[in-house]
Amino acid sequence: MSCVFLLYLCVAFTDHMGMVIREFEENPLQKIVLQVETDIVCKNCPNNESGICTSKDKVERYDRGVLEACGLSEGTEISYEKFLKKVREFVIETGRREEICGDCSWDYICRNKSVNRICD
């Protein structure tokens, strides 16, 4: 796979993730179902090969870590607003984000958001 194509996939993934987040932010009371599998966020991920995550074990560890820290379980239906509040309270504000998913290849995005939020 060429570097240019890989860069295209990464940009497509981050753009798509931003779009999904903006949709949730526009309707924070929208219900979401918490999944530990390939979902709408993964649609354009370069590790998503026909609906199968090639980094499945690592991503499942992140997802389960967040759910456990927040006292939630897979399959829970919750509003985006309530989920975000729990993640902020039990993952971000407790400093567990790096412990749970600090080795993620997209870590720089969350790290920058955490720093910007703290500085605001």
Side-chain angles (χ1 to χ4, degrees):
M1 187 178 307
S2 76
C3 291
V4 172
F5 184 67
L6 186 56
L7 178 62
Y8 167 77
L9 290 176
C10 292
V11 169
F13 173 61
T14 56
D15 285 352
H16 174 72
M17 182 185 294
M19 182 190 74
V20 170
I21 290 169
R22 279 189 302 281
E23 286 179 14
F24 288 145
E25 288 173 343
E26 288 171 6
N27 184 7
L29 299 179
Q30 178 178 344
K31 297 284 187 179
I32 58 174
V33 177
L34 305 176
Q35 296 180 297
V36 180
E37 59 189 44
T38 306
D39 60 18
I40 191 170
V41 175
C42 308
K43 180 181 176 191
N44 291 349
C45 179
N47 296 318
N48 181 354
E49 295 184 5
S50 301
I52 306 295
C53 179
T54 60
S55 298
K56 182 180 179 191
D57 293 341
K58 187 166 64 166
V59 175
E60 281 185 5
R61 178 171 43 90
Y62 303 151
D63 289 351
R64 292 192 192 287
V66 169
L67 292 177
E68 181 182 324
C70 294
L72 298 167
S73 57
E74 184 175 10
T76 298
E77 186 175 305
I78 187 171
S79 73
Y80 175 73
E81 179 179 65
K82 285 182 182 176
F83 178 66
L84 194 59
K85 184 177 179 181
K86 284 184 172 285
V87 170
R88 282 187 182 138
E89 182 179 354
F90 297 110
V91 177
I92 306 298
E93 292 173 2
T94 61
R96 294 196 61 202
R97 188 201 60 76
E98 190 170 337
E99 167 197 332
I100 293 170
C101 51
D103 64 337
C104 172
S105 36
W106 310 103
D107 177 65
Y108 67 94
I109 296 170
C110 296
R111 186 175 50 247
N112 289 341
K113 282 190 174 285
S114 293
V115 168
N116 290 338
R117 192 181 63 75
I118 291 168
C119 294
D120 286 345

